[in-house]
Amino acid sequence: MELPYAESWKIKMVEPVRKSTAEEREEWLKAAHYNVFQLKASEVYIDLLTDSGTGAMSDRQWAAMMTGDESYAGSTSFYELRDTIRRITGFEYVVPTHQGRAAENVLFSHLVHAGDYVPGNSHFDTTKGHIEARKAFAVDCTVDDARNTQLEVPFKGNVDPAKLEKALKEYGDKVPFIIVTITNNTAGGQPVSMQNLREVRALADKYGKRVVFDSARFAENAYFIKTREEGYADKTIKEICREMFDLADTMTMSSKKDGLVNMGGFIATRWEDVYEGCKKFAIPYEGYLTYGGMNGRDMAALAVGLDENTEFDMLHTRIHQVALLGKLLDEYGIPYQRPAGGHAIFVDALKVLTNVPKEEFPAQTLTVELYREAGIRACEIGYILADRDPVTRENRFGGNDFVRLAIPRRVYTDNHIRVIAAALKNVYDRRESINHGVRITWEAELMRHFTVKLEPVK
Ligand code: F0G
């Protein structure tokens, strides 16, 4: 008999979780202005808000914390981290930052100027925010396939080469670089194929541009290349990572995802001029170049985390769990961005809450309903997160309206996954009775979803 699948780790430390009553949740929702970012963690039973910084570190990572070197300059932990990053990515220069958006801030301060256009695949909201805050424009060149949630294609995160070439032709000198997000978070944790990365590289070379990878989930992307793309089944994750990064010039990293740490980020590049440019901003914004907003002990844990998470078994354990959630939703007929992605399931709210008009934010409404049902905190990746158009100030209703169920790394068991699926089924079963959503009573100009205040329309 073939042995069944099991996790590639065992549990050494546990943390109690707390259930709540429906009455308590109603009260807490109201106090949170129907924005789940405003809930206290103690008011949440299963927390799927994000997979960012919410993972469990391994015993080896905790052990590394004890040997972290807290020197202000020249920290041994920095050099350990730099050498690990060099080995995995091939990039010579490394600038640590306190998280991914800080890496964007430092790099873009050097490279992005007012009136620029930055083409890529579904820029993450902080990436878009850092571009738009500089009065520049993010040009989304994601393949159209990503829009059709029911289409089952292996690399829905890809850049459309025709759209990219059009942008490169149209904006010429106004393009400082191309950015490719691996995996493509906003499109549903969908991977980008090696073939597509090669096509992007070829266009970049043709138009004399450099390529930046937003690499928050690069290891998950490598897993999908290994398991879905022809010719990669026998390559190791580390070999695939190296091949991916060979097609880029620079990377920004949120280490809170595939670095398996709770806080941290970095920029890495093969170009000395980019490094020199970043240095000017890294020091005032983040800190000296051998810590950049990170403790020595955190850099030590990150070095171990990057190594652990570029091993197949670790990634298989994780992505298998996301796939299990997808499989259960299939059984219940609940539509999500297919196929299941790397870090999350993205429920297609427009197909679930068909009675709620888009002006009343269906995905946010479904997020509220899931919390109301079982204290499960998901995250809207939809019309609220899309912010307003910087020129017209209209809501951007053009894209998908998702509820993201992000799975923290090494935190929940498959039993929790079953609870999540059952709770969503209960909401799904009463979807016809949900006719109204929410309206905004207060919002920030950029990245509004974190702090937006809402109220039920009825
Ligand atoms: N790029 C991508 C693709 C991301 O998903 C994130 C963060 C960032 C950059 C910014 O990194 O949080 O370390 O500053 N995504 C989190 C999420 C917040 O929930 O998807 P950060």
Side-chain angles (χ1 to χ4, degrees):
M1 182 177 175
E2 193 185 338
L3 296 183
Y5 153 86
E7 287 76 6
S8 62
W9 34 257
K10 57 182 178 172
I11 296 164
K12 187 170 285 191
M13 193 185 278
V14 295
E15 179 183 342
V17 288
R18 185 187 175 281
K19 287 188 190 173
S20 51
T21 63
E23 293 73 36
E24 282 176 323
R25 292 196 290 279
E26 210 50 59
E27 208 174 290
W28 292 334
L29 262 178
K30 198 162 175 220
H33 300 278
Y34 299 87
N35 175 356
V36 295
F37 278 96
Q38 306 300 319
L39 290 170
K40 296 189 180 105
S42 58
E43 296 163 353
V44 175
Y45 172 36
I46 300 176
D47 203 348
L48 310 180
L49 186 69
T50 179
D51 65 322
S52 180
T54 52
M57 292 209 298
S58 69
D59 54 354
R60 289 188 298 161
Q61 286 180 287
W62 282 108
M65 300 274 289
M66 297 305 290
T67 55
D69 175 6
E70 305 302 338
S71 301
Y72 190 98
S75 161
T76 307
S77 303
F78 168 75
Y79 290 109
E80 280 167 11
L81 175 61
R82 186 199 64 181
D83 290 348
T84 304
I85 294 167
R86 279 183 178 172
R87 178 161 45 79
I88 292 172
T89 67
F91 293 138
E92 170 81 10
Y93 303 100
V94 174
V95 180
T97 62
H98 77 274
Q99 64 184 92
R101 68 199 68 185
E104 292 164 358
N105 189 29
V106 169
L107 183 70
F108 295 3
S109 291
H110 171 47
L111 293 178
V112 180
H113 300 100
D116 281 354
Y117 291 81
V118 183
N121 58 339
S122 326
H123 312 63
F124 184 66
D125 61 336
T126 60
T127 319
K128 182 160 59 79
H130 274 300
I131 292 168
E132 291 178 352
R134 289 174 173 80
K135 306 272 180 264
F137 304 92
V139 187
D140 187 354
C141 301
T142 309
V143 288
D144 289 338
D145 283 356
R147 294 287 307 283
N148 178 357
T149 59
Q150 301 312 293
L151 191 70
E152 189 101 12
V153 294
F155 292 101
K156 258 186 173 173
N158 279 356
V159 178
D160 182 330
K163 287 187 197 172
L164 176 60
E165 181 149 29
K166 183 166 171 284
L168 291 169
K169 269 195 191 139
E170 199 167 328
Y171 303 121
D173 290 347
K174 290 286 185 195
V175 176
F177 55 84
I178 299 161
I179 189 157
V180 187
T181 304
I182 53 173
T183 59
N184 184 331
N185 180 3
T186 314
Q190 297 292 323
V192 178
S193 70
M194 194 72 86
Q195 175 58 28
N196 191 243
L197 295 176
R198 271 189 225 108
E199 286 162 355
V200 170
R201 178 78 259 167
L203 282 172
D205 290 345
K206 182 171 165 192
Y207 289 88
K209 301 298 177 190
R210 285 178 177 171
V211 177
V212 175
F213 283 174
D214 174 348
S215 314
R217 302 180 182 84
F218 73 94
E220 292 171 8
N221 202 76
Y223 173 90
F224 286 118
I225 288 175
K226 181 177 168 74
T227 54
R228 293 184 185 171
E229 192 164 354
E230 203 176 324
Y232 288 93
D234 296 331
K235 293 211 159 104
T236 65
I237 296 292
K238 285 195 167 63
E239 285 167 343
I240 295 170
C241 288
R242 190 55 189 267
E243 195 175 327
M244 292 187 320
F245 287 116
D246 280 349
L247 296 165
D249 297 280
T250 298
M251 68 187 283
T252 54
M253 178 70 187
S254 168
S255 306
K256 304 170 70 168
K257 286 86 169 174
D258 276 353
L260 295 180
V261 291
N262 302 113
M263 190 55 73
F266 59 86
I267 300 158
T269 178
R270 64 178 86 262
W271 298 105
E272 192 177 355
D273 61 297
V274 173
Y275 177 61
E276 289 300 326
C278 286
K279 271 162 77 173
K280 281 192 288 200
F281 297 100
I283 294 175
Y285 289 169
E286 291 296 298
Y288 184 62
L289 299 169
T290 55
Y291 74 87
M294 292 186 73
N295 295 311
R297 65 183 84 95
D298 290 339
M299 291 190 285
L302 174 56
V304 177
L306 286 168
D307 238 340
E308 277 182 2
N309 206 33
T310 44
E311 291 297 327
F312 180 79
D313 286 350
M314 190 64 73
L315 290 160
H316 186 59
T317 296
R318 163 170 186 59
I319 292 174
H320 181 277
Q321 195 171 52
V322 178
L324 170 64
L325 181 55
K327 197 174 131 252
L328 293 168
L329 298 196
D330 284 343
E331 280 174 27
Y332 305 147
I334 302 171
Y336 61 90
Q337 171 72 302
R338 313 183 66 83
H343 66 297
I345 292 290
F346 287 61
V347 178
D348 189 346
L350 297 181
K351 287 198 160 55
V352 176
L353 296 186
T354 49
N355 297 344
V356 177
K358 63 182 187 318
E359 291 76 14
E360 295 178 16
F361 304 106
Q364 181 62 25
T365 306
L366 186 55
T367 304
V368 167
E369 288 299 331
L370 183 61
Y371 177 75
R372 193 171 259 149
E373 176 68 31
I376 296 168
R377 174 159 67 172
C379 182
E380 191 252 27
I381 303 268
Y383 297 151
I384 293 182
L385 178 132
D387 276 339
R388 291 175 186 272
D389 183 284
V391 178
T392 67
R393 303 303 301 154
E394 292 296 322
N395 279 311
R396 293 192 266 209
F397 289 126
N400 289 309
D401 197 33
F402 289 133
V403 174
R404 185 182 71 172
L405 308 168
I407 313 294
R409 293 166 183 78
R410 308 191 284 208
V411 170
Y412 292 115
T413 67
D414 287 1
N415 284 328
H416 291 110
I417 299 288
R418 289 180 223 287
V419 171
I420 298 158
L424 199 60
K425 181 187 186 302
N426 290 346
V427 176
Y428 189 65
D429 288 347
R430 57 179 168 81
R431 66 190 180 283
E432 292 301 334
S433 67
I434 303 170
N435 297 311
H436 285 287
V438 288
R439 74 165 74 90
I440 294 175
T441 60
W442 183 88
E443 66 187 288
E445 198 174 323
L446 274 180
M447 296 185 223
R448 63 181 179 181
H449 74 292
F450 293 116
T451 51
V452 70
K453 290 183 182 170
L454 303 157
E455 65 183 14
V457 169
K458 263 192 190 152

mmCIF file of all heavy atoms in Angstrom, residues 49-52 99-102 104 124-127 181 183 185 214 216-217 253-257 264 343 381 404 450, ligand 1:
data_model
loop_
_atom_site.group_PDB
_atom_site.id
_atom_site.type_symbol
_atom_site.label_atom_id
_atom_site.label_comp_id
_atom_site.label_asym_id
_atom_site.label_seq_id
_atom_site.Cartn_x
_atom_site.Cartn_y
_atom_site.Cartn_z
ATOM 1 N N LEU A 49 -5.999 36.242 7.358
ATOM 2 C CA LEU A 49 -5.843 37.589 6.815
ATOM 3 C C LEU A 49 -4.666 37.624 5.846
ATOM 4 O O LEU A 49 -4.731 38.233 4.794
ATOM 5 C CB LEU A 49 -5.606 38.586 7.963
ATOM 6 C CG LEU A 49 -5.559 40.045 7.559
ATOM 7 C CD1 LEU A 49 -6.925 40.545 7.113
ATOM 8 C CD2 LEU A 49 -5.045 40.903 8.712
ATOM 9 N N THR A 50 -3.601 36.967 6.226
ATOM 10 C CA THR A 50 -2.403 36.998 5.392
ATOM 11 C C THR A 50 -1.483 35.822 5.716
ATOM 12 O O THR A 50 -1.558 35.243 6.801
ATOM 13 C CB THR A 50 -1.633 38.322 5.583
ATOM 14 O OG1 THR A 50 -0.446 38.304 4.773
ATOM 15 C CG2 THR A 50 -1.243 38.545 7.038
ATOM 16 N N ASP A 51 -0.624 35.507 4.782
ATOM 17 C CA ASP A 51 0.454 34.538 5.021
ATOM 18 C C ASP A 51 1.761 35.291 5.250
ATOM 19 O O ASP A 51 2.837 34.721 5.131
ATOM 20 C CB ASP A 51 0.598 33.616 3.805
ATOM 21 C CG ASP A 51 1.043 34.390 2.564
ATOM 22 O OD1 ASP A 51 0.583 35.527 2.373
ATOM 23 O OD2 ASP A 51 1.879 33.880 1.798
ATOM 24 N N SER A 52 1.661 36.577 5.561
ATOM 25 C CA SER A 52 2.850 37.424 5.649
ATOM 26 C C SER A 52 3.278 37.622 7.096
ATOM 27 O O SER A 52 2.584 38.296 7.864
ATOM 28 C CB SER A 52 2.541 38.783 5.020
ATOM 29 O OG SER A 52 3.666 39.602 5.098
ATOM 30 N N GLN A 99 11.058 45.256 5.786
ATOM 31 C CA GLN A 99 10.087 44.356 5.145
ATOM 32 C C GLN A 99 10.054 44.651 3.658
ATOM 33 O O GLN A 99 10.876 45.430 3.156
ATOM 34 C CB GLN A 99 8.714 44.427 5.815
ATOM 35 C CG GLN A 99 7.983 45.750 5.750
ATOM 36 C CD GLN A 99 6.675 45.705 6.548
ATOM 37 O OE1 GLN A 99 6.668 46.044 7.706
ATOM 38 N NE2 GLN A 99 5.582 45.317 5.916
ATOM 39 N N GLY A 100 9.110 44.018 2.934
ATOM 40 C CA GLY A 100 9.120 44.109 1.476
ATOM 41 C C GLY A 100 8.847 45.504 0.950
ATOM 42 O O GLY A 100 9.516 45.981 0.026
ATOM 43 N N ARG A 101 7.866 46.173 1.544
ATOM 44 C CA ARG A 101 7.523 47.509 1.040
ATOM 45 C C ARG A 101 8.649 48.496 1.285
ATOM 46 O O ARG A 101 8.771 49.501 0.596
ATOM 47 C CB ARG A 101 6.203 47.977 1.652
ATOM 48 C CG ARG A 101 6.247 48.262 3.110
ATOM 49 C CD ARG A 101 4.860 48.260 3.715
ATOM 50 N NE ARG A 101 4.285 46.912 3.692
ATOM 51 C CZ ARG A 101 3.041 46.636 4.070
ATOM 52 N NH1 ARG A 101 2.239 47.593 4.463
ATOM 53 N NH2 ARG A 101 2.585 45.407 4.043
ATOM 54 N N ALA A 102 9.464 48.225 2.298
ATOM 55 C CA ALA A 102 10.620 49.079 2.564
ATOM 56 C C ALA A 102 11.668 48.878 1.467
ATOM 57 O O ALA A 102 12.329 49.829 1.043
ATOM 58 C CB ALA A 102 11.202 48.752 3.931
ATOM 59 N N GLU A 104 10.858 48.119 -1.560
ATOM 60 C CA GLU A 104 10.284 48.870 -2.692
ATOM 61 C C GLU A 104 10.586 50.361 -2.533
ATOM 62 O O GLU A 104 10.979 51.031 -3.489
ATOM 63 C CB GLU A 104 8.755 48.675 -2.723
ATOM 64 C CG GLU A 104 8.327 47.256 -3.086
ATOM 65 C CD GLU A 104 6.867 46.970 -2.739
ATOM 66 O OE1 GLU A 104 6.168 47.842 -2.182
ATOM 67 O OE2 GLU A 104 6.423 45.833 -3.026
ATOM 68 N N PHE A 124 1.503 44.300 -6.710
ATOM 69 C CA PHE A 124 0.863 44.217 -5.389
ATOM 70 C C PHE A 124 0.533 45.634 -4.912
ATOM 71 O O PHE A 124 1.098 46.598 -5.396
ATOM 72 C CB PHE A 124 1.783 43.491 -4.389
ATOM 73 C CG PHE A 124 1.116 43.309 -3.051
ATOM 74 C CD1 PHE A 124 0.012 42.477 -2.935
ATOM 75 C CD2 PHE A 124 1.559 43.996 -1.932
ATOM 76 C CE1 PHE A 124 -0.634 42.328 -1.712
ATOM 77 C CE2 PHE A 124 0.921 43.839 -0.707
ATOM 78 C CZ PHE A 124 -0.176 43.014 -0.597
ATOM 79 N N ASP A 125 -0.395 45.757 -3.956
ATOM 80 C CA ASP A 125 -0.880 47.102 -3.604
ATOM 81 C C ASP A 125 0.210 48.027 -3.075
ATOM 82 O O ASP A 125 0.222 49.213 -3.388
ATOM 83 C CB ASP A 125 -2.095 47.055 -2.664
ATOM 84 C CG ASP A 125 -1.803 46.381 -1.348
ATOM 85 O OD1 ASP A 125 -0.865 45.568 -1.298
ATOM 86 O OD2 ASP A 125 -2.513 46.648 -0.365
ATOM 87 N N THR A 126 1.156 47.487 -2.294
ATOM 88 C CA THR A 126 2.225 48.383 -1.801
ATOM 89 C C THR A 126 3.152 48.782 -2.953
ATOM 90 O O THR A 126 3.683 49.890 -2.978
ATOM 91 C CB THR A 126 3.065 47.731 -0.683
ATOM 92 O OG1 THR A 126 3.684 46.541 -1.190
ATOM 93 C CG2 THR A 126 2.218 47.374 0.524
ATOM 94 N N THR A 127 3.314 47.873 -3.902
ATOM 95 C CA THR A 127 4.165 48.169 -5.063
ATOM 96 C C THR A 127 3.513 49.287 -5.877
ATOM 97 O O THR A 127 4.158 50.288 -6.229
ATOM 98 C CB THR A 127 4.323 46.897 -5.938
ATOM 99 O OG1 THR A 127 4.507 45.768 -5.092
ATOM 100 C CG2 THR A 127 5.480 47.025 -6.898
ATOM 101 N N THR A 181 6.066 39.883 -10.604
ATOM 102 C CA THR A 181 5.773 39.414 -9.252
ATOM 103 C C THR A 181 5.611 37.899 -9.274
ATOM 104 O O THR A 181 4.743 37.374 -9.980
ATOM 105 C CB THR A 181 4.495 40.106 -8.730
ATOM 106 O OG1 THR A 181 4.693 41.515 -8.798
ATOM 107 C CG2 THR A 181 4.190 39.715 -7.300
ATOM 108 N N THR A 183 5.239 34.456 -6.833
ATOM 109 C CA THR A 183 4.058 34.256 -7.646
ATOM 110 C C THR A 183 3.221 35.540 -7.711
ATOM 111 O O THR A 183 3.444 36.451 -6.917
ATOM 112 C CB THR A 183 3.158 33.150 -7.041
ATOM 113 O OG1 THR A 183 2.778 33.565 -5.698
ATOM 114 C CG2 THR A 183 3.876 31.819 -6.928
ATOM 115 N N ASN A 185 0.512 37.448 -6.672
ATOM 116 C CA ASN A 185 -0.389 37.427 -5.518
ATOM 117 C C ASN A 185 -1.794 37.875 -5.895
ATOM 118 O O ASN A 185 -2.773 37.157 -5.678
ATOM 119 C CB ASN A 185 0.216 38.332 -4.427
ATOM 120 C CG ASN A 185 -0.625 38.402 -3.158
ATOM 121 O OD1 ASN A 185 -1.646 37.737 -3.028
ATOM 122 N ND2 ASN A 185 -0.193 39.215 -2.216
ATOM 123 N N ASP A 214 9.596 41.017 -8.026
ATOM 124 C CA ASP A 214 9.021 41.108 -6.690
ATOM 125 C C ASP A 214 8.897 39.656 -6.231
ATOM 126 O O ASP A 214 8.041 38.914 -6.689
ATOM 127 C CB ASP A 214 7.666 41.817 -6.749
ATOM 128 C CG ASP A 214 6.954 41.819 -5.395
ATOM 129 O OD1 ASP A 214 7.393 41.086 -4.494
ATOM 130 O OD2 ASP A 214 5.960 42.544 -5.265
ATOM 131 N N ALA A 216 8.458 37.934 -3.275
ATOM 132 C CA ALA A 216 7.916 37.525 -1.969
ATOM 133 C C ALA A 216 7.667 36.018 -1.887
ATOM 134 O O ALA A 216 7.953 35.389 -0.877
ATOM 135 C CB ALA A 216 6.623 38.293 -1.691
ATOM 136 N N ARG A 217 7.146 35.420 -2.985
ATOM 137 C CA ARG A 217 6.825 33.984 -2.955
ATOM 138 C C ARG A 217 7.561 33.236 -4.078
ATOM 139 O O ARG A 217 6.990 32.400 -4.769
ATOM 140 C CB ARG A 217 5.306 33.809 -3.026
ATOM 141 C CG ARG A 217 4.595 34.525 -1.869
ATOM 142 C CD ARG A 217 3.088 34.380 -1.907
ATOM 143 N NE ARG A 217 2.467 35.134 -0.811
ATOM 144 C CZ ARG A 217 2.173 36.435 -0.849
ATOM 145 N NH1 ARG A 217 2.425 37.139 -1.947
ATOM 146 N NH2 ARG A 217 1.628 37.032 0.198
ATOM 147 N N MET A 253 12.312 41.780 -1.912
ATOM 148 C CA MET A 253 11.867 40.603 -1.184
ATOM 149 C C MET A 253 11.150 41.002 0.087
ATOM 150 O O MET A 253 11.644 41.819 0.864
ATOM 151 C CB MET A 253 13.076 39.727 -0.825
ATOM 152 C CG MET A 253 12.738 38.482 -0.022
ATOM 153 S SD MET A 253 11.844 37.270 -1.047
ATOM 154 C CE MET A 253 11.397 36.053 0.203
ATOM 155 N N SER A 254 9.972 40.426 0.276
ATOM 156 C CA SER A 254 9.332 40.436 1.584
ATOM 157 C C SER A 254 9.662 39.097 2.220
ATOM 158 O O SER A 254 9.080 38.077 1.852
ATOM 159 C CB SER A 254 7.823 40.619 1.453
ATOM 160 O OG SER A 254 7.237 40.345 2.710
ATOM 161 N N SER A 255 10.597 39.091 3.145
ATOM 162 C CA SER A 255 11.043 37.832 3.764
ATOM 163 C C SER A 255 9.974 37.209 4.636
ATOM 164 O O SER A 255 10.109 36.067 5.080
ATOM 165 C CB SER A 255 12.296 38.093 4.598
ATOM 166 O OG SER A 255 13.273 38.717 3.815
ATOM 167 N N LYS A 256 8.883 37.964 4.882
ATOM 168 C CA LYS A 256 7.791 37.497 5.728
ATOM 169 C C LYS A 256 6.984 36.385 5.069
ATOM 170 O O LYS A 256 6.150 35.764 5.696
ATOM 171 C CB LYS A 256 6.869 38.678 6.037
ATOM 172 C CG LYS A 256 7.606 39.847 6.664
ATOM 173 C CD LYS A 256 6.753 41.100 6.753
ATOM 174 C CE LYS A 256 5.662 40.937 7.785
ATOM 175 N NZ LYS A 256 5.014 42.232 8.079
ATOM 176 N N LYS A 257 7.219 36.163 3.788
ATOM 177 C CA LYS A 257 6.529 35.070 3.088
ATOM 178 C C LYS A 257 7.520 33.916 2.937
ATOM 179 O O LYS A 257 7.714 33.144 3.864
ATOM 180 C CB LYS A 257 6.004 35.531 1.731
ATOM 181 C CG LYS A 257 4.774 36.425 1.813
ATOM 182 C CD LYS A 257 5.133 37.846 2.003
ATOM 183 C CE LYS A 257 3.977 38.795 1.829
ATOM 184 N NZ LYS A 257 4.354 40.175 2.154
ATOM 185 N N GLY A 264 10.994 41.162 8.017
ATOM 186 C CA GLY A 264 12.245 41.310 7.282
ATOM 187 C C GLY A 264 12.030 41.438 5.786
ATOM 188 O O GLY A 264 10.954 41.112 5.261
ATOM 189 N N HIS A 343 -0.248 30.295 -2.051
ATOM 190 C CA HIS A 343 -0.340 30.690 -0.643
ATOM 191 C C HIS A 343 -1.774 30.844 -0.171
ATOM 192 O O HIS A 343 -1.998 31.100 1.010
ATOM 193 C CB HIS A 343 0.408 32.003 -0.414
ATOM 194 C CG HIS A 343 -0.198 33.193 -1.125
ATOM 195 N ND1 HIS A 343 -0.283 33.283 -2.489
ATOM 196 C CD2 HIS A 343 -0.740 34.334 -0.641
ATOM 197 C CE1 HIS A 343 -0.848 34.443 -2.802
ATOM 198 N NE2 HIS A 343 -1.140 35.086 -1.714
ATOM 199 N N ILE A 381 -9.396 41.024 -1.480
ATOM 200 C CA ILE A 381 -8.409 41.421 -2.506
ATOM 201 C C ILE A 381 -9.274 41.759 -3.710
ATOM 202 O O ILE A 381 -9.467 40.957 -4.603
ATOM 203 C CB ILE A 381 -7.417 40.287 -2.838
ATOM 204 C CG1 ILE A 381 -6.674 39.792 -1.591
ATOM 205 C CG2 ILE A 381 -6.441 40.698 -3.938
ATOM 206 C CD1 ILE A 381 -5.362 40.451 -1.269
ATOM 207 N N ARG A 404 -9.631 36.492 -0.163
ATOM 208 C CA ARG A 404 -8.440 35.648 -0.085
ATOM 209 C C ARG A 404 -8.396 34.914 1.251
ATOM 210 O O ARG A 404 -8.471 35.526 2.302
ATOM 211 C CB ARG A 404 -7.189 36.510 -0.237
ATOM 212 C CG ARG A 404 -5.923 35.666 -0.295
ATOM 213 C CD ARG A 404 -4.683 36.523 -0.399
ATOM 214 N NE ARG A 404 -4.404 37.228 0.844
ATOM 215 C CZ ARG A 404 -3.294 37.920 1.075
ATOM 216 N NH1 ARG A 404 -2.387 38.030 0.119
ATOM 217 N NH2 ARG A 404 -3.103 38.520 2.223
ATOM 218 N N PHE A 450 -6.565 49.020 4.396
ATOM 219 C CA PHE A 450 -6.117 48.790 5.774
ATOM 220 C C PHE A 450 -6.975 49.540 6.790
ATOM 221 O O PHE A 450 -7.228 49.043 7.887
ATOM 222 C CB PHE A 450 -4.662 49.237 5.955
ATOM 223 C CG PHE A 450 -3.666 48.406 5.185
ATOM 224 C CD1 PHE A 450 -2.910 48.960 4.165
ATOM 225 C CD2 PHE A 450 -3.488 47.063 5.490
ATOM 226 C CE1 PHE A 450 -1.990 48.197 3.458
ATOM 227 C CE2 PHE A 450 -2.574 46.289 4.793
ATOM 228 C CZ PHE A 450 -1.828 46.862 3.772
HETATM 229 N N1 F0G B 1 5.021 42.103 -2.807
HETATM 230 C C1 F0G B 1 4.095 41.152 -2.704
HETATM 231 C C2 F0G B 1 3.820 40.244 -3.867
HETATM 232 C C3 F0G B 1 3.383 41.007 -1.523
HETATM 233 O O1 F0G B 1 2.463 40.062 -1.427
HETATM 234 C C4 F0G B 1 3.683 41.859 -0.440
HETATM 235 C C5 F0G B 1 2.977 41.750 0.815
HETATM 236 C C6 F0G B 1 4.674 42.825 -0.591
HETATM 237 C C7 F0G B 1 5.332 42.922 -1.802
HETATM 238 C C8 F0G B 1 5.055 43.776 0.514
HETATM 239 O O2 F0G B 1 5.781 43.131 1.493
HETATM 240 O O3 F0G B 1 4.344 43.198 3.541
HETATM 241 O O4 F0G B 1 6.785 42.727 3.682
HETATM 242 O O5 F0G B 1 5.981 44.990 3.149
HETATM 243 N N2 F0G B 1 1.940 41.092 0.939
HETATM 244 C C9 F0G B 1 1.215 40.822 2.154
HETATM 245 C C10 F0G B 1 -0.038 40.058 1.820
HETATM 246 C C11 F0G B 1 1.018 41.975 3.051
HETATM 247 O O6 F0G B 1 -0.879 39.914 2.712
HETATM 248 O O7 F0G B 1 -0.166 39.565 0.690
HETATM 249 P P1 F0G B 1 5.705 43.521 3.042
#
